Amino acid sequence: MAKKLFIRTYGCQMNVYDSARMADVLAPLGYQPSDSPDDADMVIVNTCHIREHASEKVFSELGRLRDIKQERAGQGQETVLAVAGCVAQAEGEEIIRRAPFVDIVLGPQTYHRLPEMVARASRAGGAVLDTDFPAEPKFDHLPAPQAQGLTAFLSVQEGCDKFCTFCVVPYTRGAEYSRTPEAILDEARALVSQGVREITLLGQNVNGYHGGGLRLGGLMRRLTEIEGVERLRYTTSHPRDMDDELIAAHRDLPQVMPFLHLPVQSGSDRILAAMNRQHTADDYRRIIDRLRAARADIALSSDFIVGFPGESEQDFEDTLKLVEEIGFAQAYSFKYSPRPGTPASGMAGQLSEEVKEERLARLQAALQVQSARFNESCVGRTFDVVLDRPGRRDGQLIGRSPYMQSVFVTAPATMMNSVQRLTITAAHSNSLGAVLAEEKACA
Ligand code: SAM
Ligand code: SF4
């Protein structure tokens, strides 16, 4: 009999990808996806350590799931409860101690062993903990991915050796590891054969990719040789790894979308050095100049941290200056938040919440002006948009523009999961409104 699997995913696209692959691994055991934990035979909480108060939030979620598990047990039904992802990796023992009703705790590198863990948990009782960084890469043990729709993620690289002083990723995801080009090309072919047209290459440091003698630009060239790969994106990149070949890929490969998420974190060289980012603000400016020379219409996105230990008003103003000079189409900005075990958490000069909040508000106001300006510049333009989600209103579909904006359009439901030419008619703060290009032509 089919069993129900509910996965709650927090965090980045890597976690979204990992959740989909965990579902693939469990499918042969009879687990089918479910929309709710209430009637699920197995619940996985795929956690993210980047969130503020990440572990406390996981424990309160687990409290709610314990109630569901107990209620189901009262009706004679078993619920396997698993905690996966970066919080599980960092705090596995603590989870088992504080939440003994959890059956399985697994890190991001061991989910290919889930079937074995499920068997061990139901056979032996008691919690199964598997937070190894195993020698055998999990990718070699995963079944072919099950694609849904026209877009898919494909993980090419994992882990990070850069050790930015604020970041937990090198500790939770482990050392940098690149998959072989052959494995990646095979997975891309499998996705295309299931109807996928747009692939987003994933990695914590995706442009640090180095597999089989290829860097990311070379890998993308090979991917575009696969018939059916119509669009390529990649995330998340580090400025230090934006090499000439990757920049040339933006110039030469029409399949590479004109959008790049390239986190800079700060515009102050002093803070960038304290963050161990290993580049200066001018290095970043030069990379952007080269990218724009290669692809004039490229739209840029970034991550920023305000209130890093020791950040002065002048350092913060250097960040505002960089924002003003570059012009971002969109961006994510965060207040610095100390992560246990990272070097920055013990640095002198920790700033007050008030200062962090005030700077975040100023930065976000500046970024908001830029994204509104960028959205307005799209009005009247016509784009090919992959429509892949229903809108909130009846008869409405949503897709992504080449520049990653959400685009809303009134369109028949039969156009779901298709690429349509849309003319942009309205710019909102975080999205665009559009009409089908043919409609516009007939009007
Ligand atoms: N690998 C990417 C890079 O090199 O920038 C980003 C990885 S991280 C998962 C995503 C973003 O979370 C970072 O770019 C940073 O802006 C933010 N972040 C990470 N640790 C943080 C911390 N301790 N406090 C505030 N923001 C943080
Ligand atoms: Fe974290 Fe990115 Fe720095 Fe790696 S490069 S330590 S993932 S912020």
Side-chain angles (χ1 to χ4, degrees):
M1 207 179 88
K3 290 178 267 186
K4 291 189 177 167
L5 169 68
F6 175 77
I7 306 184
R8 170 107 58 214
T9 307
Y10 294 101
C12 62
Q13 289 104 326
M14 294 293 286
N15 268 15
V16 175
Y17 177 86
D18 286 351
S19 291
R21 303 315 310 273
M22 286 192 261
D24 290 343
V25 167
L26 290 167
L29 274 66
Y31 284 101
Q32 298 296 322
S34 158
D35 293 336
S36 155
D38 296 330
D39 60 351
D41 302 287
M42 177 160 184
V43 177
I44 302 177
V45 184
N46 194 5
T47 60
C48 169
H49 213 304
I50 298 288
R51 300 193 313 154
E52 218 171 337
H53 309 301
S55 46
E56 286 319 307
K57 286 179 183 158
V58 169
F59 284 113
S60 55
E61 166 109 44
L62 289 176
R64 289 191 293 276
L65 292 170
R66 178 194 47 207
D67 296 344
I68 294 175
K69 185 172 164 133
Q70 278 171 352
E71 207 178 305
R72 279 174 50 85
Q75 297 156 8
Q77 288 162 323
E78 196 198 353
T79 314
V80 179
L81 182 52
V83 186
C86 292
V87 176
Q89 183 68 42
E91 309 200 21
E93 305 274 357
E94 181 70 358
I95 292 172
I96 288 171
R97 194 183 64 76
R98 279 182 58 185
F101 48 91
V102 168
D103 302 289
I104 297 171
V105 178
L106 72 157
Q109 302 309 330
T110 58
Y111 60 73
H112 57 296
R113 298 180 185 161
L114 254 175
E116 186 192 322
M117 293 181 221
V118 172
R120 267 166 57 205
S122 34
R123 225 182 16 241
V128 175
L129 171 70
D130 193 345
T131 50
D132 277 4
F133 287 110
E136 89 276 13
K138 66 175 177 245
F139 294 108
D140 297 348
H141 299 267
L142 292 172
Q146 295 305 305
Q148 281 166 359
L150 297 186
T151 59
F153 292 130
L154 198 172
S155 183
V156 302
Q157 177 279 338
E158 274 206 283
C160 182
D161 295 334
K162 293 214 162 47
F163 289 95
C164 299
T165 53
F166 53 82
C167 184
V168 288
V169 167
Y171 313 98
T172 58
R173 290 272 177 170
E176 205 155 338
Y177 164 80
S178 293
R179 297 175 71 189
T180 64
E182 291 72 30
I184 294 164
L185 293 165
D186 280 351
E187 190 164 326
R189 283 188 205 99
L191 291 169
V192 167
S193 73
Q194 295 175 62
V196 168
R197 294 289 169 265
E198 173 174 318
I199 296 180
T200 302
L201 307 179
L202 294 181
Q204 261 88 31
N205 231 207
V206 71
N207 60 342
Y209 177 81
H210 55 282
L214 292 182
R215 299 296 313 263
L216 189 65
L219 179 70
M220 293 212 292
R221 240 168 241 279
R222 296 281 303 277
L223 282 161
T224 58
E225 287 162 10
I226 298 176
E227 202 178 326
V229 174
E230 291 170 7
R231 295 161 164 242
L232 275 179
R233 301 182 187 275
Y234 58 98
T235 198
T236 295
S237 296
H238 191 288
R240 268 194 55 204
D241 291 318
M242 286 308 302
D243 63 13
D244 290 343
E245 195 183 16
L246 185 52
I247 292 176
H250 280 278
R251 182 191 61 212
D252 301 337
L253 305 176
Q255 296 91 336
V256 177
M257 290 288 101
F259 176 85
L260 179 63
H261 180 65
L262 190 63
V264 64
Q265 314 296 357
S266 168
S268 154
D269 288 345
R270 218 172 59 80
I271 296 301
L272 287 169
M275 287 176 165
N276 190 31
R277 290 291 289 180
Q278 302 175 46
H279 64 81
T280 64
D282 279 348
D283 291 337
Y284 189 85
R285 290 183 178 93
R286 277 190 289 271
I287 293 166
I288 301 303
D289 287 347
R290 282 160 61 217
L291 276 162
R292 285 183 166 149
R295 178 86 204 227
D297 70 333
I298 196 160
L300 296 159
S301 156
S302 191
D303 290 344
F304 294 90
I305 295 179
V306 300
F308 187 81
E311 184 189 72
S312 65
E313 177 61 24
Q314 183 58 54
D315 292 320
F316 175 66
E317 282 173 17
D318 288 346
T319 300
L320 292 178
K321 182 161 170 276
L322 181 107
V323 167
E324 209 42 61
E325 285 168 14
I326 304 269
F328 291 96
Q330 54 170 266
Y332 301 89
S333 41
F334 310 91
K335 286 183 287 184
Y336 169 70
S337 130
R339 293 286 179 268
T342 56
S345 66
M347 282 181 187
Q350 303 284 333
L351 299 187
S352 69
E353 271 309 293
E354 289 73 22
V355 171
K356 290 187 206 174
E357 263 160 33
E358 190 261 339
R359 289 183 187 166
L360 185 67
R362 280 159 69 196
L363 175 62
Q364 289 186 336
L367 291 166
Q368 188 60 48
V369 168
Q370 295 193 339
S371 65
R373 204 181 289 151
F374 179 71
N375 286 351
E376 273 153 28
S377 76
C378 293
V379 175
R381 294 183 63 190
T382 296
F383 301 135
D384 286 343
V385 174
V386 183
L387 296 175
D388 60 356
R389 279 171 295 155
R392 244 178 281 147
R393 292 207 208 114
D394 271 357
Q396 199 179 48
L397 295 178
I398 311 179
R400 291 246 177 234
S401 77
Y403 306 111
M404 283 301 275
Q405 300 128 303
S406 290
V407 186
F408 291 74
V409 64
T410 300
T414 48
M415 286 189 179
M416 178 76 155
N417 283 325
S418 71
V419 182
Q420 296 295 330
R421 275 192 92 65
L422 303 185
T423 300
I424 307 303
T425 52
H428 311 294
S429 52
N430 292 312
S431 63
L432 300 174
V435 293
L436 294 165
E438 290 79 358
E439 261 180 42
K440 175 89 175 173
C442 297

